[in-house]
Amino acid sequence: MCGIIGYTGSESAVPIIIEGLKKLEYRGYDSAGIAVYGRDGINVIKRKGRLAELERHVSGISVNYSSGIGHTRWATHGEPSDINSHPHAGSRNEIAVVHNGIIENYKQLKEQLEKKGISFISETDSEVIAQLAEYYYDKYKGDIIETVIKVSNRLEGSYALGIICHDEPDKLVAIKKDNPLIIGEAAHGNFIASDIPAVLKHTNKIYYLEDKEIALLHKNQVEFFNIDKEPIKKTPETVTWSVESAEKGGEPHFMLKEIKEQPKILRETINSAGNDGENKIVIDNLDITRYNKIVITACGSAYNAGIAAKYVFERLCRFPCIETELASEFRYKDAVIDEKTLVILISQSGETADTIAAMREAKLKKSDTLAIVNVIGSTIAKESDYCVYTAAGPEIAVATTKAFSAQLAVLYILAVSFAVKLGKITSETERELMAEIAALPEKTAAILEKVDEIQKYASTCIGYKSIFFIGRNIDYAIAMEGSLKLKEISYIHSEAYAGGELKHGTISLIEDGTLVVAIANCERLYPKIISNAEQVISRGAKVVLIGKNCRFSNANCELFDLPECNELFSPSLSVIVLQLFSYYVAANKGLDIDKPRNLAKSVTVE
Ligand code: F6R
């Protein structure tokens, strides 16, 4: 979703802000803008479209500005346009604001301000913040902190705000509620940002702002206040992500780089959760015998990881009640959960609005919450009772790949640990299963060596109007992920079906030239999925069969053999082929793979 960057320091603000915005592009946006403060006051430049468009317009402006804010907007209120882009300034151009989130009471606030003679120029909810800030700044005789507190007290909804003020050229103020915002402290100045990669080149010293805390950034120090204007002390955290981890590393797209990183991140995640890392301590401390129900909840790909996990948990733990729910559904359904329920939340960003709401709903009903999160210090990581981190590093491509794989690995290890605690498996079986999990990085590396084969095949598939993915049991879960990945980045219509469901409707869509991707890792169900393949081939479809020991031979079927693997962990292998397939279909179509249309990396609003 929208991205915020702000800087005040001894260097030129404009190139630093533009560079920071580029690092936030992956979040998804349709327009961008900056506001900088220099000798001649606040200068706001904003443009609909890609950052390159904005860059063209800022290229002429003085580099002497040393404080400013920047924003990539993903339209919610009002169409993408120059006027609706951020930053928004008040009518007197005294205060400029960048905003992530949604102001729910903006209409009432707007009406009240209009009655005071203030006129608005955009259709956004965000402009109301800038106008309100100017109104209070005037009323409180230039006290910027008092102003921000007053503004915040009037806003309903969610917000992360970066604010600069005409009279305070070397300062930058930030506040947040239900939307992430970090503060970075560097040698040459201080930053605000909605995500770590935006500042990683300058600093790894990060403060995580809590709801309604205010940060006042000076060029050489940062002060923090609570909502009562009392100074508070915060301790920075040192982020271990490297600068290179947020760069493309010579690959044409972040997505391909992230796909190829999977053996490494799997190794690190498995080490930390299964061997001797901090995650293992969290997992060991969790007493599964206290619960009689497990609910796994998440959105998008993280939800698909949860669907796969349900099969693994059921098989290994023989736990009577395990559900996987979309967080957007779970939060509104008045779920039957209580203190005997463990709610597992899966989220790469740790900031997905629906998953946060699901977590809060679970806590309200006294359930324990266990989060599997990638971004350290994110809302879900902080608010959950237990948190296991995936070691995926920064994931920049909008379509998740490595974080999904890391989530699966953590879920497998959890399932094995729960099964042991519940007395459902012997220590010998535990050892065997953990050895299987430990072998996954090597097996994924072996699949990645066949990248050329997948690339070649994918290049023949760009003409399809529709592609179906089928699988049974855990293969169905990974079929869902394959289908989601393909539609996200290639814009080809796609659906995933449980193989057994074909005859209940979908088969009517199969005709000459339809492509069906069939996943076949479940030994017991192999004949069933082959039968599905035969049925669709006889109706004119072409089939791609992905699995281990694929023994099916047909002129209309392409095979991708996977290494031998316990079927419970096979999603980690199938998904590599599916990710590469989607990637190369989209690449051959010449699409903007890392930033697919209409999608945002982190869905922080509903
Ligand atoms: C798909 C994708 C999304 C996310 C979903 C949840 O490639 O990236 O479907 O999985 O938006 O995001 P997180 O994991 O950040 O909660």
Side-chain angles (χ1 to χ4, degrees), residues 299-303 346-352 355 380 395 398-401 407 481 484-485 488 600-603:
C299 301
S301 289
Y303 167 77
I346 311 171
S347 176
Q348 186 284 128
S349 61
E351 301 293 351
T352 300
T355 315
I380 295 176
E395 191 176 64
V398 164
T400 182
T401 53
Q407 288 161 356
E481 177 59 9
L484 176 63
K485 209 87 314 176
E488 272 185 297
K601 179 71 185 159
S602 165
V603 186

Side-chain angles (χ1 to χ4, degrees), residues 538-560:
S538 69
R539 285 162 180 82
K542 300 241 182 281
V543 167
V544 184
L545 193 60
I546 301 169
K548 61 177 179 188
N549 303 324
C550 287
R551 298 172 296 273
F552 183 60
S553 164
N554 186 296
N556 288 312
C557 181
E558 186 82 18
L559 300 180
F560 285 104

